[in-house]
Amino acid sequence: MTLFVRMFLVSLAVPLLLAAATSSGAQAQSGPLRIEITEGVIEPLPFATPDFVADSAQAAQFGRDIARVIAANLTGTGLFREIAPSAFISQISDFSAPVQYADWKAINAQALITGGVSLQGGQLVVQFRLYDVFSNAELGSGLQFAGPPEGWRRMAHKVADAVYSRITGESGYFDSRVVFVSESGPKNDRRKRLAIMDYDGANVQYLTDASSIVLAPRFSPTGDRVLYTSYEGGAPRIYVLDVGSVQRRVLEQQDGAMSFAPRFGPDGTTVVYSLTQGGNTDIFKLDLANGQTQRLTSAPSIETAPSFSPDGSRIVFESDRSGTQQLYVMPANGGEAQRISFGQGRYGTPVWSPRGDLIAFTKQNRGRFHIGVMRTDGSEERLLTASFLDEGPTWAPNGRVIMFARETRGAQGSVSLYSVDITGRNLRPVPTPEGASDPAWSPLQN
Amino acid sequence: MTYLSKAAMLCAMLALGACSNALGQDDTNAVDLNGTGNFVAGSPGDPTSPAHFQQVVGDRVFFAVDQSTLSAEAQTILAAQATWLLTNSDFIATIEGHADEQGTREYNIALGARRATAVREFLVSRGIPGSRLSIISYGKERPVEICSDEACYAKNRRSVTVLASGLTG
């Protein structure tokens, strides 16, 4: 799957855009402002985001910052291209005044985002409008958000989500967070602690100290809790941490056993995970309400990395029962598993897309690592990345973008986060204060 | 005396870089190395010493890529470990399983558990009571060598038998 834009062919860029569209099989046409995320190559859609108009000096900085975050969100998708404010012919000084479409057409701004900010009784109020410049019309109706001023970035993300959604027809993913393992120190003395941040790397907060190894955090379906694996009790065990209070408790504790690779079920009441007993690793399910566990696999091979389908009916996992790591799908209560990976190499860390249509995975083949996606029956495998060590995909809430960790070679090797869209385009680093691995993307926040 | 102070004692006694292994490599087990335990003199020349076990007998064995089978060389070392443990029955051991970085995190934890278990089963087969032998897997989290070449990977695909005093029960 790839991308194309249906554009208006009325600007100086027409010949170029037309060429791009036809070469990718897309059909250029006039019509509503729209990016169709399907096949082909994309020419990013040019947009303008003037500073949001402030009603006071105190609100002015918010007006500038919010416009910048919106622009960064949109350009970060690879689907949009920002027109520099220095190119603007008209300025937006009144949020309510009519837009001078000709001035925005002249600089080929196909989308125009205007907004107003005000401080009212300690609340920051943000309004915005989205214009389809070449249709001389507003796209959707204006929206207003209000909240504490310190939440201004979230309001910017919500505006950007609305813009993205109106233009692509897909839900957005900007008002979301990522929990990950923050890493420091050399490879043979790596310090790891859990951290959480906005999806774009802002507002980093640490959830554990570096006194124990912590691994692979996973959000609950509502984003309020995080499952992870920690060595704080000696052997690896599964913990659950409340994001708000940062309180944690051990979930699975059996003498002589190790538990790891936990993931919530889609309703947040069950957890699937791996348990190692007597050297053998199988998959179990824990009912959080009553603490009951249920064995889902029973084989002498390694079964790990389980992930539910979004409807809760099936679980994808990895197993080396065939001799090498491969992906399998089984019913959510266990039972016969179908192997779905048949390509060259080894497959691990499967994660079901929140849309239900794809499974992302890590693949190792001939000394290289890849992040890839395949349909849930294993067909249409597509590798999105290649490097010395790419690992651990996690899905954006809209199922269009994947984040993962990339580690570089050698004694000085470091690990950091990247995102890529499911067409394999728009690979870009995600900024973190120090090394970072094991990302997990939250659902959209409320 | 607590387990930790015993471990600290061993660690101080060994005065080796591998001390962190003796402490299970878990920082939550941080101990006061300046504690006031009665340190036992034990050098590699003392056949009853943990230093001897570590350096002369050999505390670790290595594995092929993605494997947990014990090579002939590994079996020789483990047979010597078993003999030592039978003689020095005051000691208990934690067998750590490790993997190299060429693998996914979860799988490597499971693989390390397999390796540690293979070692444990071998030692049990040589007469060491299972109650003296516990296992833990670190997957790829604790490499000893950090280059990204087979020379380093081969040393990281290992199982390490880490002694602790079992006297306190």
Side-chain angles (χ1 to χ4, degrees), chain A residues 47-53 59-75 82-83 85 88 113-117 126-128 152-153 155-157 159-160:
Chain A
F47 71 96
T49 311
D51 291 350
F52 278 23
V53 181
Q61 188 65 44
F62 290 114
R64 285 189 288 276
D65 291 344
I66 286 171
R68 290 305 89 216
V69 168
I70 293 166
N73 286 169
L74 294 175
T75 55
E82 187 190 10
I83 293 172
F88 295 172
I113 302 153
T114 69
V117 290
V126 177
Q127 302 169 281
F128 90 97
W152 68 269
R153 288 187 68 92
M155 286 187 263
H157 292 321
V159 172

Side-chain angles (χ1 to χ4, degrees), chain A residues 7-17 46 105-110 134:
Chain A
M7 298 252 182
F8 305 106
L9 305 175
V10 282
S11 72
L12 289 176
V14 165
L16 281 176
L17 292 176
K105 285 175 192 165
I107 60 170
N108 192 32
Q110 302 205 8
F134 287 87

Side-chain angles (χ1 to χ4, degrees), chain A residues 124-156:
Chain A
L124 183 66
V125 179
V126 177
Q127 302 169 281
F128 90 97
R129 289 198 171 104
L130 171 63
Y131 296 95
D132 179 345
V133 171
F134 287 87
S135 296
N136 300 321
E138 204 175 335
L139 184 61
S141 23
L143 274 183
Q144 175 171 311
F145 305 103
E150 60 271 22
W152 68 269
R153 288 187 68 92
R154 283 201 57 195
M155 286 187 263

Side-chain angles (χ1 to χ4, degrees), chain A residues 91-292:
Chain A
Q91 304 299 324
I92 303 291
S93 53
D94 180 350
F95 175 63
S96 308
V99 163
Q100 301 302 311
Y101 287 108
D103 290 350
W104 301 100
K105 285 175 192 165
I107 60 170
N108 192 32
Q110 302 205 8
L112 171 67
I113 302 153
T114 69
V117 290
S118 58
L119 286 161
Q120 298 173 15
Q123 293 280 94
L124 183 66
V125 179
V126 177
Q127 302 169 281
F128 90 97
R129 289 198 171 104
L130 171 63
Y131 296 95
D132 179 345
V133 171
F134 287 87
S135 296
N136 300 321
E138 204 175 335
L139 184 61
S141 23
L143 274 183
Q144 175 171 311
F145 305 103
E150 60 271 22
W152 68 269
R153 288 187 68 92
R154 283 201 57 195
M155 286 187 263
H157 292 321
K158 283 186 176 299
V159 172
D161 276 329
V163 171
Y164 177 95
S165 178
R166 287 176 188 184
I167 294 179
T168 65
E170 308 273 342
S171 64
Y173 59 89
F174 309 121
D175 186 25
S176 61
R177 302 172 92 188
V178 172
V179 63
F180 63 102
V181 173
S182 191
E183 300 197 12
S184 60
K187 261 186 178 174
N188 57 351
D189 189 22
R190 213 35 91 69
R191 305 284 153 166
K192 295 191 168 194
R193 48 187 173 154
L194 285 192
I196 191 170
M197 64 185 183
D198 296 352
Y199 96 99
D200 58 358
N203 294 323
V204 175
Q205 178 196 349
Y206 295 98
L207 302 175
T208 65
D209 61 27
S211 60
S212 318
I213 302 171
V214 288
L215 305 173
R218 311 292 182 204
F219 274 110
S220 64
T222 51
D224 60 336
R225 290 164 294 158
V226 168
L227 289 167
Y228 66 104
T229 303
S230 171
Y231 282 71
E232 78 173 78
R237 295 202 169 100
I238 297 170
Y239 289 74
V240 63
L241 179 143
D242 182 274
V243 173
S245 68
V246 201
Q247 294 296 306
R248 65 185 191 276
R249 67 183 172 93
V250 68
L251 265 192
E252 165 60 48
Q253 183 157 243
Q254 289 188 34
D255 282 347
M258 292 179 277
S259 56
F260 55 99
R263 237 181 239 283
F264 280 100
D267 64 1
T269 64
T270 56
V271 173
V272 281
Y273 63 100
S274 271
L275 186 70
T276 302
Q277 297 167 299
N280 182 39
T281 301
D282 273 308
I283 294 170
F284 289 74
K285 185 157 71 174
L286 171 67
D287 183 327
L288 288 173
N290 59 23
Q292 296 294 307

